[in-house]
């Protein structure tokens, strides 16, 4: 069998380890393996009517090519946020256009993707991605393609699994940087506002704040009152022997009037680029409290570098399990962790619900603080 592997959406540490584990096992089982470059963009842009290899979109995978990739972060296959079932004409390969189309019209190119898979003799796919990437994997599964999906996202918000590749490393990086930022915050006696990735789920802000023991944490799930937040932080600073305070905030956080800081053109999945809420909040805190602030967005630092040991273990295990499922013909599955055990979830279930912080259990929405009301029988990451 010929198997294709691709990674889509934002990169996270652990992707290469997952690719290597799946590749080694599939090669051992006698399968032919091909890497699809730049996520779903690889299948969208491949032209089956050309005779050349089109190495820009495909990368053969063998033991030599994956031998050392688990030692590095990112993905050797590269990635994109392409959604083949909703592509603007101006982002569509020229060979798929007939001329005269509205450049902003969106079209579904799934028939082309299926033709490419058939042309390349790809009989099954291992798809590593988050909600958006996996939504198209679900579409292909419904079209009859054999798909095994692997969840990755540093937000840890894919429904159907307790854990996604990349989350532990993102939290580890965030806690380290928050701890480092205490130095300038304390030296200059300021309030530090630290913005973390997290569109719909505030878990990275919540867990990082919990582990780094910051003063306040604002999460995506709970709208915040800037006046009240500034009051709390001014009091936190006054009560600190070093005369400083620290807070975290999710990039997807919104004020009580519904304001979210985003801009630019929506991507293929309808999302505008987030970012800037931390800077806005810092300026408002200065205006309201009279205190000076430090504003820092951790951004891509959260997802950079090599995976920590937990992400490496999960990524390798997910890769091995992907190969095992394909070997047994068990497709249409999301590889998952349930209550600490490896398992699967039907792929169709992934997009049926949004996974978010349990505010009642783990957050004080009145005081903007992490709170752990119960630990017994809770998941390791309290989520």
């Amino acid at each position: 069998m010929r198997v294709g592997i691709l990674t889509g959406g934002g990169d996270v540490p652990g992707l290469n380890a997952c690719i290597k584990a799946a590749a080694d096992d599939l090669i051992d089982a006698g399968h032919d393996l091909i890497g699809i470059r730049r996520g779903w963009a690889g299948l969208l842009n491949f032209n089956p009517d050309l005779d050349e290899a089109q190495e820009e979109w495909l990368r053969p995978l063998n033991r030599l090519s994956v031998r050392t990739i688990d030692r590095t972060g990112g993905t050797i296959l590269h990635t994109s946020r392409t959604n083949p079932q909703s592509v603007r004409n101006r982002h569509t390969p020229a060979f798929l256009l007939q001329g005269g189309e509205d450049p902003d019209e969106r079209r579904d190119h799934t028939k082309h993707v299926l033709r490419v898979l058939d042309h390349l003799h790809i009989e099954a796919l291992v798809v590593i991605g988050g909600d958006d990437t996996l939504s198209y994997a679900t579409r292909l599964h419904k079209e009859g393609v054999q798909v095994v999906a692997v969840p990755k996202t540093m937000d840890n918000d894919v429904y159907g699994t307790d854990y996604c590749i990349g989350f532990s490393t993102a939290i580890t990086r965030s806690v380290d940087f928050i701890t480092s930022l205490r130095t300038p915050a304390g030296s200059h006696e300021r309030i530090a506002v630290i913005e973390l990735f997290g569109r719909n789920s505030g878990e990275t802000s919540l867990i990082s704040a919990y582990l780094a023991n910051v003063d306040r944490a604002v999460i995506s799930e709970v709208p915040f009152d800037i006046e009240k937040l500034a009051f709390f932080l001014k009091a936190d600073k006054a009560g600190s022997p070093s005369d400083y305070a620290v807070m975290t905030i999710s990039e997807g956080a919104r004020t009580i009037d519904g304001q979210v800081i985003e801009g630019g053109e929506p991507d293929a999945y309808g999302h505008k680029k987030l970012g800037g809420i931390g800077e806005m909040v810092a300026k408002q805190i200065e205006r309201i409290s009279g205190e000076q602030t430090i504003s820092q967005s951790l951004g891509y630092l959260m997802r950079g570098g090599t995976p920590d040991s937990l992400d490496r273990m999960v990524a390798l295990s997910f890769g091995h399990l992907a190969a095992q499922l394909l070997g047994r013909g068990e497709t249409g599955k999301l590889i998952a962790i349930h209550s600490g055990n490896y398992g699967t979830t039907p792929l169709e279930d992934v997009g049926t619900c949004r996974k978010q912080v349990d505010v009642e259990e783990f957050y004080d929405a009145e005081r903007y603080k992490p709170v752990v009301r119960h630990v017994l029988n809770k998941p390791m990451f309290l989520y």
Side-chain angles (χ1 to χ4, degrees):
M1 182 166 65
R2 181 172 239 204
V3 180
I5 297 183
L6 65 83
T7 53
D11 71 301
V12 297
L15 295 176
N16 283 334
C18 185
I19 293 168
K20 175 180 169 59
D24 283 345
D25 286 1
L26 289 167
I27 292 168
D28 280 348
H31 300 297
D32 183 26
L33 203 58
I34 188 162
I36 298 165
R37 302 187 68 201
R38 301 185 179 92
W40 296 121
L43 296 177
L44 175 69
N45 287 276
F46 185 89
N47 187 348
D49 295 321
L50 297 179
D51 293 331
E52 55 260 36
Q54 300 183 63
E55 294 179 353
E56 182 180 3
W57 307 112
L58 299 175
R59 174 175 178 167
L61 298 177
N62 53 49
R63 283 202 171 279
L64 183 60
S65 67
V66 303
R67 187 177 70 88
T68 62
I69 65 172
D70 57 319
R71 305 171 194 176
T72 59
T75 166
I76 62 161
L77 297 177
H78 304 286
T79 186
S80 72
R81 298 187 185 277
T82 303
N83 180 7
Q85 62 186 342
S86 179
V87 186
R88 292 184 189 273
N89 286 328
R90 56 192 164 96
H91 298 149
T92 299
F95 68 86
L96 289 176
L97 296 174
Q98 298 177 347
E101 293 97 340
D102 178 352
D104 288 320
E105 179 187 0
R106 293 183 181 271
R107 296 172 60 194
D108 184 349
H109 292 285
T110 299
K111 287 184 178 180
H112 167 72
V113 169
L114 293 171
R115 181 189 173 208
V116 169
L117 291 173
D118 183 64
H119 174 83
L120 295 171
H121 307 293
I122 294 176
E123 301 170 66
L125 289 173
V126 175
V127 178
I128 310 170
D131 277 334
D132 292 336
T133 301
L134 299 183
S135 69
Y136 192 68
T138 304
R139 168 69 185 278
L140 289 184
H141 164 61
K142 292 177 179 177
E143 295 284 350
V145 179
Q146 297 184 75
V147 179
V148 172
V150 177
K152 70 87 215 165
T153 168
M154 60 186 181
D155 295 342
N156 203 33
D157 62 351
V158 172
Y159 180 73
T161 180
D162 295 344
Y163 189 83
C164 302
I165 297 172
F167 178 65
S168 177
T169 309
I171 295 298
T172 300
R173 298 271 192 278
S174 298
V175 171
D176 287 345
F177 284 122
I178 290 167
T179 301
S180 295
L181 285 166
R182 289 182 180 276
T183 302
S187 296
H188 296 275
E189 300 175 281
R190 297 185 181 183
I191 296 171
V193 180
I194 302 168
E195 180 183 317
L196 306 176
F197 276 151
R199 178 178 293 273
N200 297 313
S201 171
E203 190 180 9
T204 51
S205 174
L206 182 72
I207 299 298
S208 297
Y210 172 62
L211 296 180
N213 194 30
V214 307
D215 298 289
R216 307 289 160 174
V218 175
I219 62 177
S220 306
E221 291 83 351
V222 179
F224 67 96
D225 183 329
I226 187 64
E227 298 277 347
K228 185 163 70 170
L229 178 63
F231 171 81
F232 284 145
L233 287 165
K234 185 177 179 68
D236 294 333
K237 180 176 180 292
S240 167
S242 298
D243 194 31
Y244 78 97
V246 180
M247 66 163 285
T248 62
I249 185 167
S250 301
E251 63 174 351
R254 63 193 187 279
T255 59
I256 53 175
D257 62 3
Q259 181 183 8
V260 177
I261 307 298
E262 59 181 2
E265 179 183 291
D267 65 18
Y269 296 93
H271 307 311
K272 290 186 177 181
K273 188 175 181 60
L274 290 170
I277 187 71
E279 181 70 24
M280 185 274 283
V281 165
K283 290 178 180 178
Q284 291 296 316
I285 289 171
E286 288 192 353
R287 178 185 63 82
I288 296 165
S289 69
E291 301 286 352
Q292 289 186 303
T293 63
I294 293 173
S295 174
Q296 183 68 57
S297 172
L298 296 189
Y300 291 96
L301 292 171
M302 295 174 62
R303 62 165 38 126
T306 57
D308 65 14
S309 295
L310 178 58
D311 267 328
R312 192 183 295 265
M313 177 180 289
V314 172
L316 288 171
S317 300
F318 277 3
H320 290 310
L321 183 51
Q324 292 163 18
L325 290 175
L326 283 176
R328 296 200 295 263
E330 296 181 27
T331 58
K333 304 281 189 178
L334 172 76
I335 292 172
I337 292 179
H338 299 139
S339 300
N341 297 312
Y342 291 100
T344 64
T345 295
L347 193 50
E348 298 97 326
D349 290 353
V350 173
T352 61
C353 188
R354 177 173 289 177
K355 186 179 174 187
Q356 293 183 304
V357 168
D358 184 343
V359 174
E360 292 297 320
E361 277 291 296
F362 302 120
Y363 190 63
D364 185 336
E366 293 299 318
R367 298 170 62 234
Y368 309 132
K369 292 179 74 72
V371 58
V372 179
R373 295 183 172 89
H374 304 96
V375 173
L376 191 63
N377 297 322
K378 292 296 181 183
M380 179 176 65
F381 276 105
L382 304 176
Y383 190 50

